Amino acid sequence: MRIILLGAPGAGKGTQAQLLMNKYGIPQISTGDMLRAAIKEGSALGVAAKQVMDAGQLVSDELIIGLVKERIAKSDCAQGFLLDGFPRTIPQADAMKENGIVIDHVIEFDVADDVIVERMSGRRVHPASGRVYHLRYNPPKVDGKDDITGEDLVIRVDDVEETVRKRLAIYHEQTEPLVGYYRKEAEAGNTQYHHIDGTKPVDEVGRELLSRLS
């Protein structure tokens, strides 16, 4: 089960990733976690990545692909893995292919921008406990206050509408072209592509996902 999750920020990838990890016993690999682990381990690629990051530059696709290859060779990836947030661009997808990294399933979570903005900008958080509310779907009993402590709720920087729209714009520009790329790969028989309506209830999305993969 070598899986890529595609979809805009806030499309529900994280929630379904947990389901797939538990069901198939595979790890979720995010480039951020991978970079931090490689730097901590002090591997050759980790050292190289640290030098680039310390200089305030972006880690190259070549280096990231090297890290992905190193990561998926580890024993916990024997049954497969889940890539979330990578590849982000077509050159990264090409580089994966050139390096012989085979992907069994690509899953696209499709959610309209306005729905994502409503989902994310409606979130309120109690900083001390991490409890999350939503103005529409899970409102606090008292507006702006945590149910248990009565303390103020805050809006995370990432959930401010302007920030959400900026992140969506970057997704459409850089990552959305991968939808077409992987559909073509599926037509060529190189992977299986699944389009999922991410606006359905979480449980329904999960059931559909598992039935598609079984």
Side-chain angles (χ1 to χ4, degrees):
M1 276 290 169
R2 292 163 296 204
I3 300 170
I4 286 175
L5 300 182
L6 280 182
K13 300 190 298 296
T15 305
Q16 301 304 334
Q18 292 299 322
L19 173 78
L20 296 174
M21 286 158 68
N22 295 334
K23 169 79 177 165
Y24 298 111
I26 56 176
Q28 180 179 7
I29 299 173
S30 83
T31 45
D33 292 346
M34 203 171 54
L35 275 168
R36 283 187 287 276
I39 289 167
K40 196 176 171 187
E41 282 171 18
S43 70
L45 287 169
V47 170
K50 187 175 187 314
Q51 286 172 343
V52 172
M53 287 160 74
D54 286 350
Q57 295 169 324
L58 285 175
V59 179
S60 69
D61 287 354
E62 203 178 332
L63 202 51
I64 294 276
I65 295 291
L67 285 166
V68 171
K69 279 181 83 174
E70 194 173 77
R71 177 68 186 85
I72 65 177
K74 295 195 172 171
S75 59
D76 64 339
C77 291
Q79 301 302 314
F81 51 82
L82 196 61
L83 283 172
D84 178 10
F86 186 84
R88 278 184 197 276
T89 62
I90 285 175
Q92 287 178 350
D94 281 337
M96 277 177 63
K97 203 170 152 186
E98 284 156 19
N99 278 274
I101 299 171
V102 177
I103 299 298
D104 302 315
H105 298 276
V106 178
I107 302 161
E108 175 203 353
F109 294 95
D110 188 11
V111 181
D113 283 9
D114 287 344
V115 175
I116 288 176
V117 169
E118 188 206 10
R119 269 186 190 178
M120 295 177 80
S121 62
R123 283 186 198 157
R124 297 293 182 271
V125 180
H126 177 240
S129 67
R131 278 187 286 277
V132 179
Y133 299 87
H134 193 283
L135 298 184
R136 179 170 170 189
Y137 306 112
N138 174 33
K141 291 174 185 145
V142 178
D143 191 30
K145 303 289 180 188
D146 177 50
D147 284 356
I148 293 168
T149 64
E151 291 167 353
D152 287 346
L153 300 175
V154 301
I155 303 177
R156 284 188 295 220
V157 176
D158 277 359
D159 294 338
V160 174
E161 180 171 344
E162 193 185 343
T163 312
V164 174
R165 291 206 182 270
K166 274 184 191 160
R167 289 173 68 200
L168 286 170
I170 293 167
Y171 169 77
H172 291 309
E173 185 189 328
Q174 293 185 357
T175 309
E176 200 170 26
L178 287 171
V179 168
Y181 178 96
Y182 280 115
R183 281 184 188 276
K184 280 184 186 155
E185 284 290 289
E187 282 164 20
N190 298 331
T191 191
Q192 290 186 53
Y193 194 91
H194 310 277
H195 174 271
I196 303 266
D197 176 0
T199 60
K200 291 178 184 170
V202 170
D203 294 352
E204 210 176 304
V205 171
R207 281 196 298 275
E208 184 181 343
L209 198 47
L210 294 179
S211 74
R212 297 269 195 109
L213 295 178
S214 59

